[in-house]
Amino acid sequence: MRFLADTRVRALAYQAACVLAVAAVVAWLAGNTFANLARRGISVGFDFLGRSARFPISESVLPYTPSDSFAWAFVVGLGNTLLLAVLVGALATALGLALALARRSANPLAVGVATVAVETLRNTPLVVQLLFWYAAVTVGLPNVHAALNPLPGVHLSDRGLYLPAVVVGHGAVVAAVALLGAIAVVAAARRGRALRLRTGQPNRLALTVAAGAAAVLALAIVLAGVGVRDPQLGRFNFVGGAAITPESVALLLGLVLYSAAFIGEIIRGGIDAVGVGQWEAGRAIGLDERQTLRLVVIPQALRVIIPPMTSQYVNILKNTTLALVVGYPDISSVTATTINQTGQALEGIVILMAVFLSLSLAGSAFMNWYNRRVALVQR
């Protein structure tokens, strides 16, 4: 056993033993799982994805009918999850910034209200908040015949929020024009930045291209035809227009407020990490408080804010699985219904885990790339 005296050999031996132990446990679990499934007569495989789903999805951003396959039902649920995560991330970031600035305000009332809101939201379970907002929407609001009408064409009741819908003809063509315009603006912004770094002179290339893209998009919408369809009260509910269900309203409120409390503290910590001298330097060159915050402090605070914000955005994505509590048809709800319909619990959980793992890693990779862009360059 003289070879064990070498620390490198001993370290490799310990690591190999750990790997073998983990592999043995995984093999035992897999064998036990397959044996139990075979004993119950449950086949293992993903063949069920091609069969007709035969269950409805109450709302979706993608077209869906019960005759579509289970695979498409998963895609529709994923679309709902992504839409929810993007909306929550954007709204929570804006609200979190407002809470952070309020907590740093010189106004005692603003500080007190923001502090109470943040501490209450952060220290209350998210599930409880979702159930509270769902009860507030479904029980606290009037029925459709006495719906609130805060703005023309906007109706709020226990059946949801109803808004005027903008109907554009040849939607695919207009969407293609919008996508090409966005690509052109991004390319122009990169080109303008390269020119500014090379010549030292400011330019308005991106602004010019953005104005041109907006004009082309407006022309495409006019040529395609555009109209507004207001919701109308029918016998039992509103018809026409755009509808946001009570489940969506409650889920959006709960997730946005809960996430904004954490994001607000992250942003506040990042701003406080910037030295007081930076504020004084901004005032010294004639900038007001708002300009100093936007042009001097925030760019430096981003280096502190982005790493914890990455974790928070991933948490937002994972928290969307609680949509099942209020009945919003995200991918976790579709997975649960699929398991009940087919009995393929193992495959359903594997699909769900693979989806969230892929989305979390992709989001983290993007935020890490952005973090490298704003990080200080060490020479």
Side-chain angles (χ1 to χ4, degrees), residues 36-38 63 88 95 109 114 142-143 153 157 179 187-188 192 195 205 210 232 238 264 274 313 341:
N36 289 334
L37 290 174
V88 171
L95 182 57
L109 179 60
N143 60 41
S157 72
L179 178 61
L195 289 174
L205 180 60
Q232 302 295 328
F238 286 95
V274 178
Y313 285 143
Q341 293 271 34

Side-chain angles (χ1 to χ4, degrees), residues 280-300:
E280 296 173 349
R283 299 186 192 102
I285 61 175
L287 300 178
D288 59 27
E289 293 295 313
R290 183 177 302 176
Q291 291 173 326
T292 302
L293 177 68
R294 180 171 61 89
L295 301 175
V296 178
V297 176
I298 291 294
Q300 298 180 65

Side-chain angles (χ1 to χ4, degrees), residues 4-379:
L4 289 178
D6 190 334
T7 57
R8 291 177 298 179
V9 174
R10 192 164 59 246
L12 289 175
Y14 290 153
Q15 294 177 43
C18 290
V19 170
L20 290 175
V22 171
V25 171
V26 170
W28 178 82
L29 289 174
N32 192 49
T33 300
F34 287 121
N36 289 334
L37 290 174
R39 191 178 301 116
R40 290 170 173 79
I42 300 175
S43 61
V44 179
F46 294 92
D47 297 339
F48 71 96
L49 292 175
R51 301 202 303 263
S52 178
R54 297 181 182 177
F55 63 84
I57 294 179
S58 58
E59 56 182 308
S60 63
V61 294
L62 299 173
Y64 173 82
T65 61
S67 60
D68 291 330
S69 66
F70 282 106
W72 182 246
F74 276 106
V75 173
V76 171
L78 177 59
N80 289 348
T81 295
L82 291 176
L83 175 64
L84 179 63
V86 170
L87 287 177
V88 171
L91 295 175
T93 301
L95 182 57
L97 176 60
L99 288 173
L101 296 179
R103 293 202 67 182
R104 299 189 75 261
S105 171
N107 188 320
L109 179 60
V111 174
V113 171
T115 301
V116 169
V118 167
E119 295 303 325
T120 301
L121 293 169
R122 291 180 67 194
N123 293 287
T124 307
L126 178 56
V127 173
V128 175
Q129 295 185 37
L130 292 177
L131 293 175
F132 169 80
W133 288 114
Y134 184 69
V137 171
T138 56
V139 179
L141 292 176
N143 60 41
V144 292
H145 297 286
L148 302 177
N149 186 213
L151 295 172
V154 178
H155 305 275
L156 182 62
S157 72
D158 57 358
R159 297 287 185 88
L161 178 64
Y162 297 86
L163 306 167
V166 178
V167 181
V168 180
H170 301 89
V173 176
V174 174
V177 172
L179 178 61
L180 292 175
I183 294 173
V185 171
V186 172
R190 293 177 64 89
R191 176 62 177 168
R193 182 174 181 273
L195 289 174
R196 185 172 67 253
L197 292 176
R198 188 169 69 247
T199 64
Q201 299 296 324
N203 62 79
R204 297 185 176 181
L205 180 60
L207 183 61
T208 303
V209 173
V216 172
L217 179 60
L219 179 61
I221 292 175
V222 170
L223 293 177
V226 61
V228 178
R229 184 173 58 193
D230 291 330
Q232 302 295 328
L233 181 60
R235 184 176 180 182
F236 300 106
N237 203 352
F238 286 95
V239 294
I244 303 177
T245 63
E247 292 79 11
S248 299
V249 174
L251 188 60
L252 201 59
L253 277 172
L255 288 178
V256 166
L257 293 176
Y258 181 80
S259 302
F262 288 90
I263 289 176
E265 289 300 279
I266 292 172
I267 295 176
R268 184 173 70 90
I271 293 175
D272 289 343
V274 178
V276 178
Q278 299 299 314
W279 292 91
E280 296 173 349
R283 299 186 192 102
I285 61 175
L287 300 178
D288 59 27
E289 293 295 313
R290 183 177 302 176
Q291 291 173 326
T292 302
L293 177 68
R294 180 171 61 89
L295 301 175
V296 178
V297 176
I298 291 294
Q300 298 180 65
L302 283 176
R303 302 179 182 117
V304 179
I305 291 172
I306 290 176
M309 283 288 280
T310 301
S311 298
Q312 190 56 43
Y313 285 143
V314 172
N315 286 336
I316 288 175
L317 177 64
K318 291 186 290 187
N319 285 340
T320 59
T321 56
L322 293 177
L324 192 63
V325 174
V326 296
Y328 178 80
D330 72 324
I331 190 170
S332 59
S333 175
V334 171
T335 301
T337 306
T338 300
I339 291 173
N340 289 333
Q341 293 271 34
T342 64
Q344 309 290 149
L346 182 63
E347 294 83 348
I349 296 301
V350 167
I351 291 173
L352 191 63
M353 291 178 61
V355 166
F356 277 98
L357 177 62
S358 301
L359 292 177
S360 298
L361 292 177
S364 298
F366 173 78
M367 292 297 293
N368 290 334
W369 167 81
Y370 184 68
N371 187 40
R372 290 193 295 270
R373 290 288 302 270
V374 300
L376 288 172
V377 177
Q378 302 292 334
R379 296 185 182 275

